[in-house]
C-alpha cells in the first residue's frame, strides 16, 4: 500500500515538473516576442527642407502634415501609405551624401523601397519630371518576376519603386514569427476625403 502511494506521489510530482517546464517554455517564448507593430517613419537629413518637401510630395505623393510645436528645429513631416518621412534640416554638410552621389545609382547601396501597383506608370511620371533613374527586372528561381526602379532624392538618398508583392516571403528559420501590420498601427489621421468627394 505504501509503495503504491509513493509511486502515485512520484507520478504527480513528475506531472507537476512537466507542467512547470512547459509553462516556463511558453513564458520564454512570449517574452521573446518583440512588441513592435509596424514601421512608423523614416528620418532624412536634407540640405534644403523646402526642396525635399517638393520632391516627396510631387514625385512620391506624400502629404505635408503639421509637426508638433515642441519640435523647435527646422524640418517637416510628411505622411502617406501608412508610413511617415521626417525631414530635418542638416547643419553639417559632411553628414549628407556627397554631391557626386546624385549621379550614382547602385541598387546594392542603402535605400528605402516603396511597393507600387503600377511600375510603368511610375516610370512615365519620372520621365515627365526629368528624374534620372535606373530600371531592372529580376526573375526568381520559381519564375516570379519583379520590376525595380531606382532614383535619388535631392540629397542623394536612394529610393526604390518595385512590385515586390510578387515575391513570396518565407522565413529562413523557425525562430522568428512574421507579424502583419494591422490598421490600428496607423496614427490618427484627419482627412478631407469626403470634402474632395463632394467637389464637382
Amino acid at each position: 500500500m505504501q509503495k503504491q502511494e509513493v509511486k502515485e506521489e512520484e507520478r504527480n510530482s513528475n506531472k507537476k515538473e512537466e507542467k512547470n517546464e512547459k509553462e516556463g517554455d511558453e513564458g520564454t517564448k512570449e517574452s521573446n516576442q518583440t512588441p513592435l507593430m509596424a514601421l512608423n517613419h523614416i528620418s532624412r537629413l536634407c540640405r534644403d527642407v523646402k526642396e525635399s518637401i517638393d520632391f516627396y510630395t510631387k514625385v512620391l505623393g506624400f502629404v505635408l502634415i503639421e509637426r508638433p510645436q515642441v519640435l523647435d528645429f527646422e524640418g517637416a513631416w510628411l505622411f502617406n501609405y501608412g508610413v511617415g518621412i521626417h525631414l530635418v534640416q542638416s547643419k553639417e554638410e559632411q553628414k549628407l551624401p556627397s554631391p557626386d552621389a546624385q549621379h550614382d545609382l547602385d541598387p546594392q547601396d542603402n535605400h528605402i523601397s516603396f511597393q507600387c501597383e503600377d511600375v510603368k506608370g511610375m516610370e512615365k511620371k519620372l520621365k515627365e519630371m526629368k528624374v534620372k533613374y535606373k530600371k531592372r527586372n529580376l526573375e526568381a528561381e520559381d519564375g516570379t518576376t519583379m520590376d525595380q526602379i531606382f532614383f535619388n532624392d535631392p540629397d542623394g538618398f536612394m529610393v526604390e519603386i518595385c512590385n515586390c508583392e510578387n515575391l513570396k516571403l518565407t522565413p529562413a528559420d523557425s525562430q522568428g514569427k512574421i507579424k502583419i501590420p494591422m490598421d490600428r498601427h496607423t496614427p490618427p489621421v484627419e482627412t478631407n476625403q469626403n470634402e474632395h468627394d463632394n467637389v464637382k
Side-chain angles (χ1 to χ4, degrees), residues 12-25:
N12 292 337
S13 177
N14 290 337
K15 287 181 180 179
K16 187 175 182 180
E17 288 179 1
E18 289 176 1
K19 181 180 179 182
N20 290 338
E21 288 178 1
K22 184 177 180 181
E23 290 177 350
D25 291 341

Side-chain angles (χ1 to χ4, degrees), residues 123-137:
E123 182 180 11
K124 180 181 177 182
K125 183 176 184 179
L126 293 175
K127 286 181 178 179
E128 292 173 350
M129 301 190 74
K130 295 180 171 53
V131 176
K132 179 185 175 182
Y133 65 90
K134 176 181 288 187
K135 181 181 178 181
R136 71 176 185 177
N137 177 273

Side-chain angles (χ1 to χ4, degrees), residues 36-50:
L36 301 183
M37 297 168 66
L39 178 66
N40 179 269
H41 72 272
I42 298 162
S43 183
R44 281 282 185 249
L45 289 175
C46 50
R47 292 181 175 86
D48 186 323
V49 172
K50 291 183 179 179

Side-chain angles (χ1 to χ4, degrees), residues 147-179:
D147 299 310
Q148 298 173 294
I149 296 178
F150 298 89
F151 52 95
N152 287 332
D153 77 357
D155 294 294
F157 291 111
M158 190 160 56
V159 178
E160 175 191 1
I161 300 295
C162 72
N163 50 3
C164 308
E165 78 279 5
N166 292 344
L167 297 178
K168 181 180 179 180
L169 301 180
T170 304
D173 59 46
S174 59
Q175 300 300 315
K177 180 180 179 182
I178 293 179
K179 295 175 66 176

Side-chain angles (χ1 to χ4, degrees), residues 32-135:
N32 287 337
Q33 293 296 325
T34 307
L36 301 183
M37 297 168 66
L39 178 66
N40 179 269
H41 72 272
I42 298 162
S43 183
R44 281 282 185 249
L45 289 175
C46 50
R47 292 181 175 86
D48 186 323
V49 172
K50 291 183 179 179
E51 184 180 3
S52 293
I53 291 174
D54 197 52
F55 173 85
Y56 282 100
T57 55
K58 293 182 179 179
V59 177
L60 293 174
F62 275 81
V63 177
L64 180 65
I65 62 174
E66 295 181 2
R67 294 169 74 215
Q69 294 182 5
V70 69
L71 300 177
D72 58 356
F73 53 89
E74 188 176 357
W77 281 15
L78 303 117
F79 185 85
N80 215 345
Y81 321 114
V83 66
I85 292 182
H86 294 183
L87 303 175
V88 179
Q89 179 65 48
S90 178
K91 296 180 180 179
E92 301 178 51
E93 179 69 22
Q94 63 269 25
K95 288 187 176 181
L96 294 164
S98 68
D100 294 336
Q102 290 283 32
H103 307 291
D104 297 331
L105 288 170
D106 181 1
Q108 296 182 42
D109 205 345
N110 293 324
H111 62 275
I112 57 174
S113 179
F114 294 98
Q115 192 160 292
C116 179
E117 60 185 358
D118 185 1
V119 176
K120 289 184 178 179
M122 192 66 203
E123 182 180 11
K124 180 181 177 182
K125 183 176 184 179
L126 293 175
K127 286 181 178 179
E128 292 173 350
M129 301 190 74
K130 295 180 171 53
V131 176
K132 179 185 175 182
Y133 65 90
K134 176 181 288 187
K135 181 181 178 181

